[in-house]
């Protein structure tokens, strides 16, 4: 049965997910309040419908939150406020899946907002990039005991659109499972990219000759790492601003002194972002290292 699904917000991920859900025959609502022309255009192309907050909380069967991690809590607070100010009649309780890259403590404090509410709250995460052509990412979901019905709906609506979906269920499962997986996976994949970025810049700062010797040695002894650098570093540059907050979430997930590694990762991504804005050369250093690496693989 087609559903009414709200996808907030229509960024690169949200709009492409929205498009898959529209293609599967669902009505996909979004909020374009205060959004740029480019975002409005992206949402329109995806077939998403601009809706007011009251329409979203009254009409949607399920809301998917797909936003930068630093906005996850305030979005959930707003959703709850809007929901409480209106009467949702003749419908099953609203299902709300937070699909953002936040850590276990953060998702638990968001979930705590909903304990007195009829809203069924789900912990979700997305692994992979936006759907494109035949490529689809994987959505993971977990829920506290009692919210299985909401989790089933999440699995159905996402699965029917052709996007991969896996539930983390079974003994002891609950809010936190999907977020823990996201933190672990991103800690490795985006952590590796952060490590490459940090050292390429440090080697260059020491001396361009160090950079050249590093490239030579990687090409001789670690060609698979060099190949990964040529893919991962350029793909990261336009997304660096989004990874700043995500790295802070991972720092909290890891905890202790080891967690500081990810405070450092957050700083390296902030530095890349600053370089894009100020044109201070770091991005040029990264790009020329990648170009030189491509000559050697
Ligand atoms: C919601 O329903 C209650 C009880 O029927 C009523 O008192 C209240 O005014 C309604 N609120 C809205 C926003 O319609
Ligand atoms: C979910 O988290 C709980 C608490 O940490 C743990 O006991 C359980 O094994 C986890 N389940 C999955 C599927 O990750």
């Amino acid at each position: 049965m087609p559903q009414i699904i709200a996808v907030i917000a229509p960024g690169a991920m949200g709009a492409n997910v929205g498009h898959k859900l529209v293609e599967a025959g669902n009505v996909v609502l979004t909020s374009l309040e205060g959004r740029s022309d480019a975002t409005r255009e992206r949402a329109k192309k995806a077939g998403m419908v601009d809706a007011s907050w009251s329409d979203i909380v009254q009409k949607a069967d399920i809301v998917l939150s797909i936003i930068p991690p630093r906005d996850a809590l305030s979005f959930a607070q707003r959703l709850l406020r809007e929901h409480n100010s209106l009467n949702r009649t003749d419908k099953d309780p609203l299902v709300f899946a937070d699909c953002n890259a936040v850590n276990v403590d953060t998702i638990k404090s968001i979930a705590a907002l909903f304990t007195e509410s009829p809203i069924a709250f789900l912990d979700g995460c997305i692994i992979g990039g936006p759907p494109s052509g035949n490529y689809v990412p994987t959505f993971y979901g977990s829920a506290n005991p009692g919210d299985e019905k909401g989790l089933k709906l999440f699995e159905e609506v996402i699965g029917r659109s052709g996007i991969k979906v896996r539930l983390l269920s079974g003994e002891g499962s609950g809010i936190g499972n999907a977020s823990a997986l996201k933190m672990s996976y991103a800690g490795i994949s985006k952590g590796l990219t952060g490590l490459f970025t940090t050292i390429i810049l440090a080697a260059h700062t020491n001396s361009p000759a160090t950079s050249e010797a590093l490239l030579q040695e990687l090409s001789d002894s670690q060609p698979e790492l060099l190949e990964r650098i040529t893919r991962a570093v350029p793909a990261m540059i336009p997304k660096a601003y989004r990874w700043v907050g995500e790295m802070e979430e991972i720092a909290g997930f890891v905890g202790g002194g080891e967690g500081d590694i990810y405070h450092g990762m957050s700083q390296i991504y902030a530095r890349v972002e600053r370089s894009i804005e100020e044109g201070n050369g770091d991005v040029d250093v990264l790009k020329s290292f990648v170009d030189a690496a491509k000559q050697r693989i």
Side-chain angles (χ1 to χ4, degrees):
M1 201 181 54
Q3 308 282 349
I4 303 177
I5 306 166
V7 179
I8 316 289
M13 178 64 84
N16 285 290
V17 166
H19 185 57
K20 296 292 278 185
L21 296 167
V22 168
E23 281 182 333
N26 301 289
V27 173
V28 180
L29 309 178
T30 195
S31 168
L32 294 173
E33 187 184 278
R35 302 305 302 247
S36 68
D37 288 348
T39 303
R40 288 170 177 273
E41 189 54 32
R42 191 162 50 224
K44 194 171 152 204
K45 267 203 179 133
M48 299 164 91
V49 180
D50 185 16
S52 65
W53 270 93
S54 63
D55 273 355
I56 289 170
V57 295
Q58 288 187 115
K59 296 186 180 154
D61 297 296
I62 181 166
V63 176
L64 305 176
S65 167
I66 304 177
I67 55 182
R70 63 165 180 275
D71 301 328
L73 177 64
S74 58
F75 175 77
Q77 287 165 331
R78 171 102 192 248
L79 179 85
L80 183 63
R81 216 168 45 239
E82 299 284 351
H83 180 273
N84 288 350
S85 72
L86 290 159
N87 289 323
R88 185 180 163 92
T89 46
D90 307 329
K91 275 191 87 74
D92 283 342
L94 182 63
V95 178
F96 172 41
D98 182 302
C99 305
N100 304 308
V102 296
N103 69 35
V104 176
D105 290 346
T106 307
I107 199 77
K108 285 188 172 166
S109 52
I110 295 174
L113 298 171
F114 296 93
T115 43
E116 302 291 312
S117 153
I119 295 174
F121 182 76
L122 309 181
D123 177 12
C125 78
I126 309 171
I127 295 198
S132 160
N134 289 329
Y135 171 81
V136 286
T138 304
F139 275 64
Y140 283 85
S142 66
N144 282 338
D147 287 328
E148 290 83 3
K149 208 175 151 198
L151 202 54
K152 198 89 205 121
L153 180 67
F154 174 83
E155 185 182 30
E156 272 171 30
V157 296
I158 301 205
R160 239 194 348 252
S161 75
I163 295 173
K164 286 182 271 184
V165 58
R166 290 202 188 114
L167 302 185
L168 298 169
S169 47
E171 187 64 22
S173 63
I175 296 296
N177 289 143
S179 291
L181 173 67
K182 175 69 183 181
M183 295 291 97
S184 306
Y185 181 88
I188 290 181
S189 62
K190 292 171 186 164
L192 273 177
T193 305
L195 208 57
F196 295 148
T197 306
T198 304
I199 294 298
I200 293 168
L201 293 176
H204 179 85
T205 302
N206 188 69
S207 143
T210 305
S211 206
E212 176 56 29
L214 172 66
L215 196 58
Q216 180 64 53
E217 185 53 43
L218 284 173
S219 146
D220 289 350
S221 60
Q222 304 280 355
E224 66 292 342
L225 283 185
L226 200 58
E227 194 272 333
R228 189 171 172 117
I229 286 172
T230 64
R231 285 183 293 117
V233 172
M236 168 278 295
I237 293 171
K239 301 183 208 155
Y241 74 100
R242 275 197 271 134
W243 294 4
V244 174
E246 187 167 340
M247 294 303 111
E248 291 297 342
E249 290 293 324
I250 299 174
F253 175 69
V254 175
E258 309 90 290
D260 288 346
I261 295 167
Y262 290 93
H263 290 307
M265 294 290 170
S266 177
Q267 287 175 33
I268 195 72
Y269 289 133
R271 178 171 162 188
V272 170
E273 179 54 16
R274 262 197 321 278
S275 168
I276 295 170
E277 280 166 12
E278 296 168 8
N280 67 12
D282 284 345
V283 165
D284 300 329
V285 169
L286 293 171
K287 285 184 173 159
S288 59
F289 190 92
V290 166
D291 287 343
K294 282 184 183 157
Q295 308 296 313
R296 293 176 190 256
I297 57 171

